[in-house]
Amino acid sequence: MPEAVGPMKARRMLSPDQLADFLASLDVKETLVYAVFSRLREGALPAEDESLFVKQELRCSKLKLRPITLKGGIQLQAEFQFGPRTFHQQYPLTPDAPPLAKGLRDFSEGTIFTNRGDYQFYWTSADLCRITERAPTKARESLAHNRQKSYLLAEGEPIPFLVELGVMDTSGRVYPKKYDKFRQINKYLEFVEDALRRFPQEKPLYIVDFGSGKAYLTFALYHYLSARGYTDVLVTGLDLKEDVVAFCNETARRLRYEHLQFQVGDIANFHIDEGTGAAAHRPDMIISLHACDIATDAALVKALQWGSPVILAVPCCQHEFFHQLTFPAMESILRYGVTRDKQATLVTDASRALMLRAFGYSVEMVEFITMEHTPKNVLIRAYREDALREISARAESAREGSAHAESAQEGSARGVVSAGEVSPPVKTPQGLSSQEGIPEKRTILRVSDPGYRAYRDFLDTWGVGRTYLELELTRVGLLKES
């Protein structure tokens, strides 16, 4: 039944044709606080491919709406519940926004809360929408506050992996001592969401998380992918601690996360098991969160070996450059251990960004989570644009080939055959080779290349000699003298 609301002010019966005018009268852009719809009406839905409320033969059981502030301005955030999965989507906040207008038409009951009144609706057997207006029970919070609280993983409903990992209780309440972790997980998923927009929805995804630890973020990633309908996914977490890996594998088993696996090992010696589906293609995304010191560099080398299109790295304690830094103009900073350590971190991360740029990645360094939660808060986000364009082109070619084949099949069924008509081949990317069964997109960097010279000149300025990153790239054959 609809949520309980305040004292009744008015009641009206509206036909389907009158709903648009009713929504326009609410002035939702200025007044909407929250809305919840439940119980899809029988026979009210169009075909699956035309409906917001049917996905993979699952019917939406609940729809929640609220205004949020994004970079583009005020938006309407819709949360669709399909069985155990929740999907989020943003729309312009207008009376004819699809989830609002269609939700009122297609759900049997619900309530629209505004700061002027609460509107409880119920569809009768006579195909009339009975709307009861009551005094407002909710007030719109400031949009800035609303934005701050707009988490991809919402509090209030239990999320299985967060319950298993002790972040949330079985009623969906986040434990006070775990709220920083809850914020960190949500911030991480925002970056993941942005990266996933670069891939075609139908593309199989293989993601490797180096230094996964207790794997809060690895489990969050898998949950996010599953909730958003990615079915062809494999996620591998790697860590050195056997007991931690055993715990994570057991937790994944209890959660029935069939395509999430954890392995024991160090990053530099990691090889993909040819017996898994991952052996068919290179990793699409390399994640390295809080891998200590040069372990971050080992992760970057693996990503460069595979030509992985996306890299997300949050470096941790960084010691390699600490004792090497010399820069007369910066002596006042380098004199003290605490400021030297901060400067070594900045130089290390800046040099990593230069090396990634030299290999053709576009690179950003952004704040991962605020300093009040952790001092290790710089995220290196790198995209290999040529690889991403190549993936999109292959997906488009495959779609065209599928459409062509379907068209030819239909023509054959009608007895129409076009001479020489064949499906266009899917283009094979250039530069793909196989090593240990894993396709690679190798780019060889030479010491004379401008990108590498920029890297080396920057470190020479700070008195830093040959780095672990350079040595590893040389060892695997990605950095050569000539």
Side-chain angles (χ1 to χ4, degrees):
M1 291 298 293
E3 295 187 22
V5 290
M8 186 175 71
K9 294 171 60 178
R11 177 176 291 169
R12 69 190 87 176
M13 302 289 283
L14 301 179
S15 68
D17 293 338
Q18 294 173 311
L19 295 180
D21 290 339
F22 164 70
L23 287 174
S25 72
L26 297 183
D27 192 15
V28 291
K29 188 169 185 179
E30 299 297 328
T31 69
L32 180 66
V33 179
Y34 178 70
V36 57
F37 304 148
S38 59
R39 284 206 310 122
L40 281 171
R41 298 171 62 200
E42 292 297 330
L45 298 177
E48 177 175 344
D49 59 354
E50 299 175 2
S51 175
L52 289 175
F53 309 126
V54 179
K55 183 182 290 291
Q56 298 175 358
E57 298 183 353
L58 289 175
R59 292 163 60 88
C60 182
S61 58
K62 183 172 285 189
L63 170 65
K64 298 178 183 179
L65 305 173
R66 63 191 180 102
I68 62 172
T69 299
L70 300 175
K71 290 182 180 180
I74 302 174
Q75 297 284 300
L76 181 68
Q77 184 182 68
E79 179 182 299
F80 303 87
Q81 184 73 41
F82 291 95
R85 297 180 178 179
T86 301
F87 298 81
H88 293 81
Q89 182 69 43
Q90 279 76 48
Y91 301 84
L93 181 53
T94 61
D96 60 352
L100 182 59
K102 294 182 179 180
L104 183 59
R105 182 194 69 194
D106 290 343
F107 282 87
S108 295
E109 58 189 10
T111 305
I112 300 173
F113 299 89
T114 76
N115 55 22
R116 296 177 186 171
D118 298 346
Y119 301 88
Q120 185 175 357
F121 73 89
Y122 180 83
W123 280 91
T124 71
S125 58
D127 200 31
L128 293 175
C129 186
R130 184 180 67 192
I131 297 178
T132 302
E133 181 183 355
R134 302 178 185 269
T137 60
K138 299 181 184 293
R140 179 184 280 189
E141 298 171 333
S142 71
L143 291 177
H145 177 75
N146 207 26
R147 182 181 182 182
Q148 179 183 354
K149 297 296 184 182
S150 175
Y151 294 134
L152 291 174
L153 299 181
E155 187 177 8
E157 295 184 10
I159 299 172
F161 86 90
L162 290 178
V163 175
E164 285 282 347
L165 296 178
V167 176
M168 180 180 280
D169 65 23
T170 54
S171 67
R173 184 180 66 89
V174 176
Y175 294 112
K177 291 183 178 180
K178 291 293 186 178
Y179 226 95
D180 284 352
K181 177 61 68 176
F182 181 68
R183 293 190 185 98
Q184 182 193 51
I185 290 170
N186 274 283
K187 187 65 175 179
Y188 164 69
L189 289 179
E190 290 179 16
F191 291 114
V192 169
E193 184 177 51
D194 181 70
L196 287 175
R197 293 193 186 104
R198 305 297 190 99
F199 295 101
Q201 178 72 30
E202 68 274 19
K203 184 193 183 304
L205 290 176
Y206 178 42
I207 300 172
V208 178
D209 186 352
F210 286 126
S212 52
K214 195 176 177 181
Y216 292 96
L217 302 180
T218 322
F219 280 105
L221 168 66
Y222 191 86
H223 169 85
Y224 174 89
L225 292 167
S226 298
R228 274 148 183 77
Y230 290 88
T231 56
D232 196 352
V233 170
L234 179 63
V235 178
T236 299
L238 184 76
D239 200 81
L240 289 169
K241 299 178 181 178
E242 292 186 12
D243 57 336
V244 172
V245 168
F247 167 81
C248 291
N249 277 322
E250 175 59 22
T251 302
R253 186 193 64 78
R254 288 197 303 271
L255 291 167
R256 297 183 180 178
Y257 288 179
E258 296 177 357
H259 301 291
L260 173 61
Q261 60 183 19
F262 296 88
Q263 299 179 23
V264 177
D266 68 344
I267 299 169
N269 295 319
F270 174 74
H271 299 300
I272 297 173
D273 183 358
E274 293 188 30
T276 68
H281 59 91
R282 66 176 182 256
D284 301 290
M285 190 183 303
I286 295 298
I287 298 171
S288 173
L289 304 180
H290 299 150
C292 190
D293 198 20
I294 57 175
T296 294
D297 298 298
L300 297 183
V301 170
K302 285 294 182 181
L304 292 172
Q305 277 186 284
W306 293 319
S308 297
V310 176
I311 302 170
L312 300 177
V314 179
C316 191
C317 46
Q318 304 184 37
H319 308 305
E320 185 183 12
F321 295 179
F322 182 85
H323 295 292
Q324 297 186 58
L325 294 182
T326 57
F327 195 151
M330 304 292 284
E331 181 58 31
S332 295
I333 289 177
L334 302 180
R335 180 188 303 272
Y336 308 103
V338 64
T339 50
R340 171 182 277 270
D341 181 65
K342 292 180 183 297
Q343 190 62 50
T345 296
L346 294 174
V347 173
T348 303
D349 287 342
S351 69
R352 287 165 172 158
L354 283 169
M355 184 63 84
L356 290 171
R357 286 168 58 89
F359 274 90
Y361 285 80
S362 60
V363 184
E364 299 173 307
M365 285 198 286
V366 296
E367 187 178 70
F368 174 46
I369 195 72
T370 59
M371 288 288 287
E372 67 184 280
H373 303 307
T374 173
K376 314 299 182 182
N377 71 330
V378 173
L379 170 72
I380 301 174
R381 178 168 58 180
Y383 295 128
R384 182 153 184 164
E385 302 293 351
D386 63 336
L388 290 165
R389 286 193 297 269
E390 179 182 280
I391 289 168
S392 296
R394 294 183 71 187
E396 181 62 28
S397 178
R399 283 193 293 267
E400 290 177 358
S402 177
H404 189 89
E406 289 178 5
S407 176
Q409 188 175 18
E410 290 176 2
S412 177
R414 295 192 305 267
V416 178
V417 179
S418 299
E421 188 172 318
V422 295
S423 299
V426 177
K427 296 179 180 178
T428 301
Q430 299 297 315
L432 286 182
S433 60
S434 179
Q435 180 177 338
E436 300 167 350
I438 309 303
E440 295 185 347
K441 183 176 177 61
R442 299 171 62 90
T443 297
I444 305 301
L445 188 66
R446 305 190 184 280
V447 296
S448 58
D449 289 344
Y452 174 74
R453 291 312 317 161
Y455 171 89
R456 181 57 9 228
D457 290 346
F458 171 72
L459 291 180
D460 286 345
T461 300
W462 286 96
V464 175
R466 191 87 163 162
T467 65
Y468 174 85
L469 181 56
E470 291 173 279
L471 293 172
E472 279 296 287
L473 289 171
T474 301
R475 182 183 68 82
V476 300
L478 294 184
L479 179 61
K480 295 189 175 182
E481 290 293 329
S482 59

